[in-house]
Amino acid sequence: QAQLVESGGGLVQAGDSLRISCATSGRTFSTYTMGWFRQVPGKEREFVAAISWNGNTYYADSVKGRFDISRDNAKNTVYLQMNSLKPEDTAVYYCAAAIYGSGYFTGDQYDYWGQGTQVTVSS
């Protein structure tokens, strides 16, 4: 089983940028679909971005044009570059890995999850 370790969260002001990372121990990382989800207390986890094994990217409408997902297979790491952050981006951000890449947009399509990293955007 893959272990995903997230880092890079923190407190920023609206308009700032932040990059969060997810490193995985999975030996087949290069074939995984990788995704980012976020969750606010009292709400369901929502899709943010995903990147397929061959580099295709997908974004929620709420972050499209502001966020950029990328992967470095040599480092077994996926990144989420967040720009022009808004208070409504405040959430715990989770990375996830899907072995078989059956889809991108729902949590049940992923097999492994990180512990989450808190991103707080102040007004």
Side-chain angles (χ1 to χ4, degrees):
Q1 295 184 332
Q3 180 181 355
L4 281 62
V5 180
E6 303 171 6
S7 62
L11 174 64
V12 298
Q13 291 185 312
D16 284 355
S17 296
L18 191 67
R19 189 179 77 164
I20 55 177
S21 304
C22 178
T24 178
S25 62
R27 63 182 179 89
T28 56
F29 172 83
S30 63
T31 69
Y32 292 170
T33 293
M34 299 296 298
W36 286 98
F37 290 74
R38 65 188 183 187
Q39 188 169 26
V40 176
K43 296 184 179 180
E44 293 187 349
R45 195 168 299 183
E46 68 170 334
F47 170 78
V48 176
I51 184 167
S52 70
W53 67 272
N54 56 351
N56 294 323
T57 58
Y58 308 88
Y59 298 94
D61 288 342
S62 59
V63 306
K64 191 175 298 182
R66 298 189 297 119
F67 290 12
D68 182 33
I69 187 171
S70 62
R71 65 193 299 161
D72 185 339
N73 289 343
K75 296 182 178 180
N76 287 356
T77 300
V78 63
Y79 305 95
L80 186 67
Q81 176 68 46
M82 300 179 286
N83 302 310
S84 301
L85 282 162
K86 304 174 181 179
E88 50 263 45
D89 295 318
T90 296
V92 177
Y93 283 72
Y94 298 89
C95 64
I99 296 174
Y100 297 109
S102 59
Y104 307 101
F105 307 116
T106 60
D108 60 1
Q109 296 168 333
Y110 293 82
D111 302 292
Y112 306 107
W113 294 84
Q115 81 287 351
T117 185
Q118 176 71 46
V119 174
T120 302
V121 185
S122 63
S123 300

